[in-house]
Amino acid sequence: MINDKKVLFSGMQATGNLTLGNYLGALKNWVALSDEYECFYSVVDLHSITVRQDPAVLRKRARALLTLYIAAGLDPEKNCIYYQSHVSGHAELSWILSCFTYMGELNRMTQFKDKAAKHADNINAGLFTYPVLMAADILLFQSDVVPVGIDQMQHLELTRDVAQRFNAIYGDVFTIPEAYIGKTGAKIMSLQDPAKKMSKSDENPNGSIYLMDDPDTIMRKCKRAVTDSMAQIVYSDEQPGVKNLLNIYCACSGKTPDEAVKEFDGKGYGEFKMAVGEEVVSVLKPIQDRVKELEKDKVYIDNVIKNNAEKASYYANKTLRKVQKKVGFPERIR
């Protein structure tokens, strides 16, 4: 607990371009959480290299993502926004925790199996031990809560197990984190395949709206969105394409599905898609304008990077030194 507030940790990878789904499902909610929690929001670039990256592109995307965090409304004075790779405690604690994590536990991680299938030519040890690094991310700041999706819940359970195992041996060292269960973000699906989540890595460029897409591109993607031949706007699982567009419209406009369905009663899909596109543009344009402003102010962003890395390192080292002492590492001579 810091400043009498519970601690919250979350992060995103600097791979690919953030989508509307990333914003509505996570980033938008992060802003609201800033008042209630002491928040650490990381650009998790250590996680990114389990898949081969172009170094110049990764650096550029990491900075772009950190800039987007701020443009979306995260105040770097109020939240600790930093690069994971700038806080060595992540990697140091990850090694220690790997010595308290069992092979059988990691073998059960379904995400490793999924990623190994996708990257069969590069099944590296980092891909296998990824959940241990994620545990270190969370435990390093004595996080009370972690907002996680269903696909990451297994990793959070592992984090809790490892923390409890360590505490059972060495005493009350780690806070046992809980999943953040609050107002759930909108689950946004692909515009071309509403059975799949909108993804940064979608092979079909028309499936995802990216946060930096210009208005014309957004309108075009919405017009091309998959619907059906039923010619009615109803919020139903039987019409997944229409339901997804309604979810997007509601998340952007603040209306309920019932209100949206009434609004479009008797109207065609063409008019409906136009309205969805216009709402998306109205939400993303201020963020895009802010990104452009921030990109021009290199000194400001550099200062955020430096100051927040120092802040994150300060809190990380408090935990790390305690852990190092518990496991028997020699004290550092100052």
Side-chain angles (χ1 to χ4, degrees):
M1 193 168 285
I2 302 171
N3 301 328
D4 297 325
K5 283 184 177 180
K6 287 188 172 182
V7 176
L8 180 147
F9 174 87
S10 197
M12 291 184 186
Q13 286 199 45
T15 51
N17 297 311
L18 284 199
T19 70
L20 179 67
N22 296 129
Y23 174 69
L24 297 176
L27 195 47
K28 183 181 176 185
N29 288 339
W30 288 5
V31 177
L33 294 170
S34 303
D35 293 326
E36 191 177 347
Y37 296 97
E38 186 73 30
C39 299
F40 290 84
Y41 292 125
S42 183
V43 174
V44 289
D45 45 356
L46 293 180
H47 285 292
S48 300
I49 63 169
T50 57
V51 176
R52 295 281 175 267
Q53 304 291 337
D54 179 312
V57 172
L58 181 61
R59 272 191 289 275
K60 185 178 177 183
R61 283 181 169 165
R63 190 179 179 96
L65 179 54
L66 185 136
T67 303
L68 252 176
Y69 281 0
I70 300 168
L74 290 175
D75 181 350
E77 296 288 329
K78 199 159 140 186
N79 305 278
C80 190
I81 302 168
Y82 71 100
Y83 294 138
Q84 184 188 28
S85 61
H86 284 194
V87 179
S88 61
H90 285 275
E92 290 185 71
L93 183 58
S94 181
W95 169 252
I96 295 171
L97 294 182
S98 70
C99 299
F100 292 84
T101 306
Y102 300 134
M103 292 288 287
E105 291 174 316
L106 294 176
N107 272 324
R108 287 195 293 273
M109 296 292 116
T110 54
Q111 212 173 53
F112 169 70
K113 294 168 189 172
D114 294 342
K115 289 193 174 184
K118 285 181 187 172
H119 304 283
D121 59 335
N122 182 25
I123 304 173
N124 56 69
L127 202 61
F128 187 65
T129 58
Y130 177 107
V132 184
L133 178 56
M134 186 171 166
D137 299 338
I138 295 164
L139 299 176
L140 198 57
F141 299 105
Q142 302 293 348
S143 306
D144 296 283
V145 291
V146 185
V148 287
I150 297 297
D151 57 337
Q152 295 286 357
M153 190 60 80
Q154 195 182 29
H155 290 169
L156 183 61
E157 287 303 324
L158 177 69
T159 300
R160 288 169 54 82
D161 290 344
V162 173
Q164 285 165 343
R165 184 174 301 141
F166 194 95
N167 286 357
I169 300 168
Y170 297 109
D172 190 16
V173 178
F174 293 121
T175 299
I176 308 301
E178 302 281 346
Y180 171 76
I181 308 295
K183 181 174 178 279
T184 53
K187 189 176 182 183
I188 305 302
M189 313 306 282
S190 165
L191 296 179
Q192 293 299 310
D193 182 359
K196 294 191 312 186
K197 264 176 67 174
M198 187 176 283
S199 169
K200 291 189 285 184
S201 56
D202 197 329
E203 291 176 4
N204 187 337
N206 290 314
S208 297
I209 293 171
Y210 300 107
L211 294 196
M212 296 307 291
D213 277 348
D214 61 67
D216 288 345
T217 301
I218 292 168
M219 296 303 292
R220 187 175 67 251
K221 287 180 177 180
C222 286
K223 284 178 193 173
R224 291 178 179 174
V226 168
T227 46
D228 51 53
S229 58
M230 294 171 76
Q232 58 179 358
I233 298 166
V234 178
Y235 194 73
S236 164
D237 289 338
E238 292 175 12
Q239 293 181 263
V242 172
K243 182 178 179 180
N244 187 41
L245 288 172
L246 281 167
N247 279 333
I248 293 171
Y249 183 77
C250 292
C252 291
S253 68
K255 293 176 182 174
T256 66
D258 285 345
E259 287 170 341
V261 167
K262 281 179 189 171
E263 183 181 342
F264 295 107
D265 184 34
K267 293 181 179 174
Y269 286 164
E271 192 175 346
F272 171 49
K273 290 177 180 180
M274 284 285 287
V276 173
E278 285 164 2
E279 283 295 337
V280 173
V281 169
S282 72
V283 166
L284 296 189
K285 180 118 185 6
I287 296 171
Q288 294 171 353
D289 291 345
R290 181 70 177 132
V291 165
K292 286 166 189 167
E293 282 175 27
L294 290 166
E295 284 175 341
K296 291 175 188 170
D297 198 343
K298 182 177 182 296
V299 173
Y300 172 72
I301 295 296
D302 286 349
N303 281 333
V304 167
I305 291 167
K306 178 177 179 292
N307 294 338
N308 280 303
E310 287 172 356
K311 180 182 175 182
S313 294
Y314 169 77
Y315 286 109
N317 284 334
K318 284 175 78 170
T319 297
L320 190 61
R321 299 295 172 253
K322 190 174 181 181
V323 171
Q324 289 168 332
K325 185 177 180 181
K326 290 288 186 183
V327 299
F329 292 168
E331 284 189 39
R332 299 181 182 221
I333 308 300
R334 288 183 175 81

